[in-house]
Amino acid sequence: MLLLLAALPGLFWDGGASTAPTLRDAGISHIVVPAAQSASWKDVSGITVETGDLERAVKLLAPTVNYRMNQASASREPWLVANGWTFLRQPRARFYYDVPGDPAALAAAEAFCYGANALIKTDAAGLKPLARMLDFLRGLSARGLSGDDLPPVADIGFIDDGSPAAGEVMNLMVRDNLLFRPVRAPDRTLKLNVRLGDKEYPLEDAKNPKLIAQAVRTNLTDEKRTLRIYGSPVVVARVTGSAGRLCVQLLNYAGAARKVNGIRVRVLGDYPKHQAAADDAAGVELLDYTAESGATEFTLPELKTYAVIDLSR
Amino acid sequence: MFLQVAAASPLLAAPADDPVYHVVTRFSPAAKPGMPGPYPGQVVRVHSEKSIDAQADKVDRAVVKQMLSSGMRALTGDTRDEDAWARFISPQDVVGIKVNCSGAPRICSAPEVVAGIAENLVAIGVPAKQIYVYERFDNQLQSVGYPKYLPQGVTVTAAESSRGSILGYDPRTYVETSFFGEEDTRSNLVRLVADTLTKIVNVPNMKEHQAAGVTGCLKNIAYGNFSNVDRSHRFEKTNTRTFIGTLASTEPVRSRVVLNIMDGLRGVWHAGPFSNSARFRFYPKQLMFGTDPVAMDHKLIEVIEEKRKQEGAVSLFDRSRDHLGDNSDPNRNRYIREPGHVEYAATKGLGVYDNAKIQLKVIEL
């Protein structure tokens, strides 16, 4: 089993050395710069520099939520712009975000969640939120709370043919918190295997990937899902774990500006012990915690951008 | 933890597409559940032309007080108000007054009515600090301004101080179902009801509802006491027919709602539960009393149907797709209404729907 070791995302910065005070003021201590800029940063103190470029990196979307308030009730579910499926499809690729402002922090958390090798290009407004998030993520790793030492948990094997249609289905499964793993062939150790074009998942339906995602959910059944999220349609979870331990990472795609007031999480398995941490929060207390009858449930009272809950027996 | 398997075994003769409900509660029924309570099939209507000045939209508080007194005495047969109220509430109870503010501030459980109820509770010895006026949404509740009408010490509180927050709900008491494949399949009980209240007085309004047909006793204690309920409607389809009765019969709601006082001083005959258009407001000038929410809501249907007939609008029971559309036209609606939710609630044991078995007492003041 390949363990996805959570690399800390890096800030890609193409400003000259004269911008060093801005970076220092924001709390940035490490940057990735284009080779052409490298020399100018050589004698700058307090900031470590490595060279890199974005040319061969896969560009990601800026993570966010589109609420589509002008749409009818049939589509009032907010539309999440998430990159999880891209990470799962190309686990060894190098990625980059071009994301100005506060969402740079969410981008960092998203990449960290999936152990992705990612650079983040942002503007001056994004520096402080990004620096705070990177500090937090660094601290998690130091505390052993990042879950990067555990393999991803999946209920579903998805046979990815590399097509755009398959990509869209994977995107929806990520957003709907249907835990899957791309596989080359059906994996009988998983609860369900899905291949587009099979009788239950006709290619015709893939034109509306939501139909496929719904069929997957129906065939898996909610009772067998390792993870359920209640209380918000804008939270996506990444779960890693092995016997006796489960790490649940939660991302609020609306970002800190629209924090989620209460999120209820249910995972299969009795995990009486837990540790939790969340960005921009001194201490995290899980509410209404239960671990009984083969499932563990708890409420995270507030989710700004990112939280991690480490469950154990 | 009790599992009330409401329709995990679907009802006989239920339409094939009825949702399957999984009811999870940690509460067992009271020896004598509040609904249908001691007066099944009985409804008291008190009408007074003087109760509200329709021109000024101003309620006469003294008349409302008289209406409350007459209604409670007529329901119970008691000659003293204190005796009537004491049949339902004791001084040890922690009492919730479930108001309806979905059309506030234009139409809501009138503060004059709510205050009158609270005063009667205090009069029988319930400390004001043991009385809670509550609703789901804080912004709607605050728009009414209840505190200035209420006895000092009564708490006015909402389950969702921040819209969409789940913190004001009990995570261990819920009804779970998937209507349209939505991801969040739980509707949780208001935490105040689960953890604090021992009795509830239900104070709905007299309104048409564009999804449920009417919003009276049943809808106010069902959708008004649980989270994440608007997911039951999509396109023209609404699952209110079965969801309302299922929620209302979930413990402890069924046991703790001991009295219904329907505020029909004002009403809405179309485009409810809101009241954005003055054209669709009217003044029934009445209060209804009972312990049987089904019988009372059946009478509410009659009131709304009669008004719609007067206005030349189609029946609440109309299911023609030709009438779907912009509900600024009283013959059009966004949903196929489900007033059958009242009859369905009778099948859950919440009350009497058969008109031949309903006794209506009418009092004119």
Side-chain angles (χ1 to χ4, degrees), chain A residues 76 225 228 231 288 297, chain B residues 162 181 183-184 186 191 230:
Chain A
R76 65 187 162 203
R225 292 170 65 182
R228 296 295 309 278
D288 300 302
E297 291 200 17
Chain B
S162 159
E183 177 60 21
D184 190 342
R186 288 183 182 174
R191 198 184 279 266
D230 63 349

Side-chain angles (χ1 to χ4, degrees), chain A residues 105-268:
Chain A
L106 175 57
E110 184 187 55
F112 181 81
C113 246
Y114 288 87
N117 179 356
L119 294 172
I120 296 168
K121 184 180 178 187
T122 188
D123 59 3
L127 290 174
K128 280 187 180 171
L130 177 62
R132 279 198 296 271
M133 181 57 75
L134 291 174
D135 275 351
F136 174 72
L137 299 175
R138 198 175 291 116
L140 286 182
S141 292
R143 291 163 62 191
L145 272 178
S146 63
D148 59 354
D149 55 336
L150 300 169
V153 171
D155 296 323
I156 302 154
F158 184 80
I159 298 162
D160 180 15
D161 61 8
S163 67
E168 268 310 298
V169 171
M170 289 198 294
N171 186 15
L172 280 175
M173 288 199 294
V174 165
R175 288 169 33 191
D176 289 351
N177 288 304
L178 291 162
L179 304 180
F180 72 95
R181 182 163 69 222
V183 292
R184 291 178 184 277
D187 181 342
R188 300 298 167 204
T189 66
L190 296 170
K191 296 169 188 166
L192 183 73
N193 285 279
V194 175
R195 186 201 321 256
L196 290 185
D198 281 358
K199 189 177 67 179
E200 289 180 288
Y201 312 104
L203 284 171
E204 186 64 21
D205 283 3
K207 290 175 185 167
N208 179 359
K210 188 74 182 171
L211 285 179
I212 299 289
Q214 286 289 1
V216 170
R217 179 180 169 195
T218 301
N219 291 335
L220 175 63
T221 73
D222 282 348
E223 290 70 29
K224 289 184 184 169
R225 292 170 65 182
T226 298
L227 172 88
R228 296 295 309 278
I229 298 282
Y230 305 97
S232 173
V234 300
V235 174
V236 169
R238 170 81 164 149
V239 182
T240 55
S242 62
R245 194 175 156 213
L246 207 63
C247 184
V248 180
Q249 299 177 79
L250 299 170
L251 292 164
N252 170 16
Y253 276 81
R258 294 186 73 158
K259 68 182 179 184
V260 174
N261 287 303
I263 185 95
R264 185 82 178 157
V265 178
R266 178 181 195 270
V267 295
L268 291 183

Side-chain angles (χ1 to χ4, degrees), chain B residues 14 29-30 47 53 65 69 71 95-96 131 136 141 145 150-151 174 183 223 229 233 236 266 288 297 304 315 345 355:
Chain B
H47 176 267
D53 178 342
K65 200 169 178 176
S69 175
V95 185
I131 300 172
R136 283 184 59 211
L141 186 65
L150 292 166
Y174 56 85
E183 177 60 21
Y223 279 43
V229 287
H233 326 312
E236 77 278 8
R266 302 176 179 89
M288 284 207 293
D297 281 0
I304 301 296
S315 165
N355 236 349

Side-chain angles (χ1 to χ4, degrees), chain A residues 73-74 76-77 176-177 210 214 217 222 225 227-232 261-264 266 287-290 292 297 299-301, chain B residues 1 162-167 169-172 174 176 178 180-186 188 191 230-235 334-335:
Chain A
S73 63
R76 65 187 162 203
E77 273 180 44
D176 289 351
N177 288 304
K210 188 74 182 171
Q214 286 289 1
R217 179 180 169 195
D222 282 348
R225 292 170 65 182
L227 172 88
R228 296 295 309 278
I229 298 282
Y230 305 97
S232 173
N261 287 303
I263 185 95
R264 185 82 178 157
R266 178 181 195 270
L287 308 176
D288 300 302
Y289 194 98
T290 62
E292 58 193 16
E297 291 200 17
T299 299
L300 182 68
Chain B
M1 186 82 68
S162 159
R163 194 72 174 243
S165 170
I166 64 168
L167 298 176
Y169 296 92
D170 177 11
R172 298 195 198 193
Y174 56 85
E176 185 152 27
S178 173
F180 300 102
E182 66 276 10
E183 177 60 21
D184 190 342
T185 48
R186 288 183 182 174
N188 293 73
R191 198 184 279 266
D230 63 349
R231 65 194 170 97
S232 66
H233 326 312
R234 191 172 292 187
F235 295 117
R334 287 176 60 198
Y335 304 99

Side-chain angles (χ1 to χ4, degrees), chain B residues 46 59 125 128 172 174 177 193 197 212-213 215 250 265-266 274 276 287 291 313 323 335 344 348:
Chain B
V46 182
V59 174
R172 298 195 198 193
Y174 56 85
T177 191
V193 176
L197 304 180
T215 170
T250 296
L265 301 179
R266 302 176 179 89
F274 313 112
N276 296 325
L287 302 180
T291 60
H323 291 138
Y335 304 99
Y344 178 86
K348 305 292 289 181

